[in-house]
Amino acid sequence: MSNAPAPVRHYLEFTDLSADEYAHVFARAAEIKRKFKAYEKYHPLADRTLAMIFEKASTRTRVSFEAGMYQLGGSVVHLTTGDSQLGRSEPIEDSARVISRMTDLVMIRTYGQDKIERFASHSRVPVINGLTNEFHPCQILADIFTYIEHRGSIQGKTVAWVGDGNNMANTWLQAAELLGFTVHLSTPSGYEVDQAVAGLRSADSYKIFKDPEDACRGADLVTTDVWTSMGFEAENEARKKAFADWCVDEAMMQVAKPDALFMHCLPAHRGEEVSAEVIDGPQSVVWDEAENRMHAQKALMEFLLLGRVNA
Ligand code: CP
Ligand code: NVA
């Protein structure tokens, strides 16, 4: 038998876990959430430290990882570009070598996916993508966990994506290919998903619709995101014009299945990508979705550090 250490598992894209591993992580998220609600102490990550690096703003990602890590018995180091040498051009490879000698796990929110890949390839410990321009896997992990809680398996279901062909859209598409559901995509012209950037094997798990209402027809879940993602602020005015018809409103929810859910990763802009009636209405599960970031990521951290636990 070889004495070589097991290879480090990173979570940089949704496809970094198999369908079978997702089944395990979703089951663990449910159990970890149950323990949290029952005030049952669960400290499997005692003495472990998570480094969180933020190059973009965050509310949910920071709170969910930080609170979640403490609840698992571990501790957290919080770094931003502005208060670390990362903002003063220390090479990302050197930062990875140093930070991963002192901590057990790293979460990074940054710009290009190439940056997180370079960090991961020089890290001794697992690296988690807390959002890049291309992907937001932790969010889709929580979204699918939320769907399962409300409606059961997502396999064979239809998710309508209304809006930008951005990091969220790319990650939904990866998830559809891996977990066996379909995405109905409607994006304004010029803001389409790039199949190569999304890293898809084929076009079999999505359908493109010009009219966002057509994308919502018959959907089990309708979801959207901001018109302008972080890092694209210079395009704000042009996007406001291009996206004017891509607002999820009651007419769109009307043509979805009667029991369709509405999700939004948040932060939301009422009156832009979603109407107040929809996001604050009966089909919206956005607050469960936000809370579930924490439970799902606790299960993810447990899996990356300890493997298949059944406690
Ligand atoms: N949805 C999400 O990632 O939120 P934050 O930007 O607040 O972390
Ligand atoms: N697409 C958005 C998601 C924010 C959580 C962004 O990248 O800014």
Side-chain angles (χ1 to χ4, degrees), residues 10-23:
H10 301 297
Y11 192 60
L12 307 183
E13 301 186 22
F14 197 83
T15 47
D16 283 338
L17 261 57
S18 68
D20 182 56
E21 287 167 336
Y22 276 112

Side-chain angles (χ1 to χ4, degrees), residues 246-262:
W246 276 261
C247 172
V248 177
D249 56 13
E250 283 175 310
M252 289 192 201
M253 293 306 293
Q254 278 288 317
V255 298
K257 292 231 176 92
D259 69 343
L261 299 175
F262 172 77

Side-chain angles (χ1 to χ4, degrees), residues 22 42 44 58-59 68 83 112 144 168 177 185-186 223 235 243-244 249 255 264 270-271 281 283 299 301 311:
Y22 276 112
Y42 182 54
S58 167
T59 297
D83 66 14
I144 295 175
M168 285 289 297
E177 206 161 64
L185 266 179
S186 181
T223 185
E235 301 173 10
F243 282 77
D249 56 13
V255 298
H264 189 310
R270 289 168 177 77
Q283 287 166 283
M301 292 193 285

Side-chain angles (χ1 to χ4, degrees), residues 147 151 154-162 181-185 207 209 211-223 250-261 283:
Y147 187 86
R151 296 283 184 266
I154 197 163
Q155 200 177 358
K157 299 287 166 58
T158 298
V159 175
W161 176 265
V162 174
F181 59 91
T182 302
V183 177
H184 284 183
L185 266 179
K207 290 188 190 129
F209 296 83
D211 180 342
E213 201 168 300
D214 289 339
C216 296
R217 193 157 285 118
D220 299 279
L221 167 63
V222 176
T223 185
E250 283 175 310
M252 289 192 201
M253 293 306 293
Q254 278 288 317
V255 298
K257 292 231 176 92
D259 69 343
L261 299 175
Q283 287 166 283

Side-chain angles (χ1 to χ4, degrees), residues 27-41:
R28 289 303 297 159
E31 172 57 15
I32 286 170
K33 182 171 181 176
R34 187 200 63 74
K35 290 186 203 298
F36 172 79
K37 299 283 178 189
Y39 293 96
E40 234 174 76
K41 213 173 265 180

Side-chain angles (χ1 to χ4, degrees), residues 117-182:
E117 281 168 5
R118 280 164 58 204
F119 192 104
S121 65
H122 292 83
S123 171
R124 289 182 170 189
V125 302
V127 177
I128 297 173
N129 182 346
L131 181 146
T132 56
N133 290 349
E134 290 83 0
F135 297 114
H136 198 2
C138 292
Q139 183 67 54
I140 305 303
L141 179 74
D143 292 5
I144 295 175
F145 176 60
T146 307
Y147 187 86
I148 295 168
E149 272 193 330
H150 284 268
R151 296 283 184 266
S153 172
I154 197 163
Q155 200 177 358
K157 299 287 166 58
T158 298
V159 175
W161 176 265
V162 174
D164 195 12
N166 64 9
N167 44 11
M168 285 289 297
N170 289 339
T171 316
W172 269 116
L173 290 167
Q174 284 202 341
E177 206 161 64
L178 189 69
L179 301 181
F181 59 91
T182 302

